[in-house]
Amino acid sequence: MKIARFEYQNSVHIGVLNQTGDALAPIALEAPGGDPMIALMERLLAGAPPPEMGSPVALADVRLLSPIARPSKNVLCIGKNYAAHAAEFSRSGYDATAKQPSDYIPEAPIIFSKAAGCLIGAHDEILPPWSATQEVDYEAELGVIIGKGGRNIARADAYRHVFGYTCINDVTARDLQAKHKQWLLGKSIDTFCPMGPWIVTGDEVDPANMEVRCWVNGELRQDANTRDLIFDIPAIIETISTSMTLQPGDIIATGTPAGVGIGFSPPRFLRTGDVVRIAISGVGEICNTVR
Ligand code: MN
């Protein structure tokens, strides 16, 4: 099942994509004071049948929103989780975490976060503050959506806590990332987390074998498979939940493969008018223009 959050005729809905992929059937779900997407996730994970659906609206007539409106915490991100990207990051001179280029493979997962306020939808515009940054970069990533919360989740149980998957662009201002040492500011600029187009439920896909691709203005820049993650999804969930309680609706960006702008020499940063398209097999694609 592919479940989107979208705006249609000035109101926000949760809806299920039809078989032909061109219409969304809205779901009426009462979630007083809460997030209807999270209420739906909890209901489906409890084995209840999906709620009744209204008459479908054409995908072309809606604005897709980030599938989760407001996670309980920042978007959790994994740094340097593909070896080829860890190597390019190390060579780029932007990596303050490696003491020398030869230690670019992390020994334990590197966990950081993006403020949840920077989430935008599948076709919304990325709006860098050009007075503060000239080094805006893209990072295509598989996003994991937590469905069942928990603390101290063991590897073997990890997938039982996952509701589904989505595409994420971990947009990053490299100059701010370097200037402020900590990555938070350079990663958390408003609009710097495009996400969507929807959540595909875990029963439909194999997250250990997904093609992750990114194009800038039609040129293929990133092309990898999630089988090459250094730390897989169970390892990531086990690591994070050792420290903090995961909640339904929490979002984990699993790391980007090689081919980001700083992987080129000279670096190839994003400019006004550039179009970044990210596609993940079995999930879908997002496409955002930089303004
Ligand atoms: Mn990233």
Side-chain angles (χ1 to χ4, degrees):
M1 195 181 277
K2 293 186 172 92
I3 307 165
R5 194 171 70 93
F6 61 96
E7 195 177 88
Y8 177 68
Q9 292 181 342
N10 299 317
S11 57
V12 174
H13 305 268
I14 303 297
V16 176
L17 190 71
N18 65 355
Q19 289 298 324
T20 46
D22 56 5
L24 288 161
I27 287 174
L29 196 65
E30 293 300 320
D35 181 332
M37 178 68 90
I38 293 173
L40 175 64
M41 288 176 7
E42 289 179 321
R43 178 172 170 149
L44 293 174
L45 284 174
E52 206 171 312
M53 293 184 230
S55 42
V57 293
L59 189 58
D61 293 338
V62 312
R63 175 183 166 214
L64 292 167
L65 305 173
S66 68
I68 302 291
R70 194 163 287 278
S72 81
K73 52 180 72 68
N74 282 5
V75 177
L76 298 163
C77 304
I78 316 304
K80 302 201 297 183
N81 203 18
Y82 290 83
H85 170 67
E88 74 179 354
F89 190 39
S90 174
R91 282 194 308 270
S92 73
Y94 284 83
D95 184 6
T97 64
K99 289 190 193 71
Q100 49 190 350
S102 58
D103 330 304
Y104 61 81
I105 302 289
E107 287 170 8
I110 297 172
I111 314 291
F112 62 95
S113 75
K114 293 171 85 76
C118 62
L119 287 165
I120 60 171
H123 304 287
D124 291 342
E125 291 183 341
I126 299 166
L127 304 170
W130 296 111
S131 57
T133 175
Q134 295 296 314
E135 298 188 353
V136 178
D137 207 348
Y138 51 88
E139 294 190 351
E141 309 197 10
L142 174 65
V144 175
I145 309 298
I146 297 295
K148 178 171 175 252
R151 179 94 194 272
N152 294 318
I153 300 166
R155 267 194 74 86
D157 298 327
Y159 282 122
R160 273 180 250 156
H161 292 261
V162 173
F163 178 69
Y165 303 93
T166 193
C167 306
I168 286 179
N169 187 349
D170 175 16
V171 183
T172 303
R174 300 292 179 199
D175 38 8
L176 297 187
Q177 188 182 27
K179 177 179 174 186
H180 298 285
K181 310 301 177 199
Q182 297 281 323
W183 298 351
L184 187 74
L185 286 180
K187 295 272 188 183
S188 296
I189 294 171
D190 290 359
T191 74
F192 271 31
C193 197
M195 172 185 175
W198 35 66
I199 300 170
V200 58
T201 51
D203 56 318
E204 291 197 358
V205 287
D206 174 7
N209 182 17
M210 287 178 169
E211 302 292 334
V212 178
R213 295 193 179 91
C214 175
W215 296 259
V216 177
N217 303 329
E219 179 191 334
L220 183 64
R221 296 282 185 87
Q222 296 184 280
D223 185 3
N225 189 292
T226 54
R227 76 170 78 89
D228 294 325
L229 286 171
I230 297 171
F231 301 102
D232 64 7
I233 291 166
I236 292 167
I237 289 176
E238 184 178 67
T239 299
I240 294 173
S241 70
T242 298
S243 290
M244 63 182 93
T245 303
L246 287 169
Q247 304 283 0
D250 281 348
I251 304 163
I252 302 172
T254 53
T256 200
V260 299
I262 52 164
F264 294 87
S265 182
R268 300 175 73 181
F269 296 116
L270 296 172
R271 296 286 174 248
T272 294
D274 284 352
V275 176
V276 186
R277 183 160 70 93
I278 290 170
I280 300 183
S281 55
V283 180
E285 63 176 58
I286 59 176
C287 188
N288 303 87
T289 300
V290 180
R291 292 290 177 208

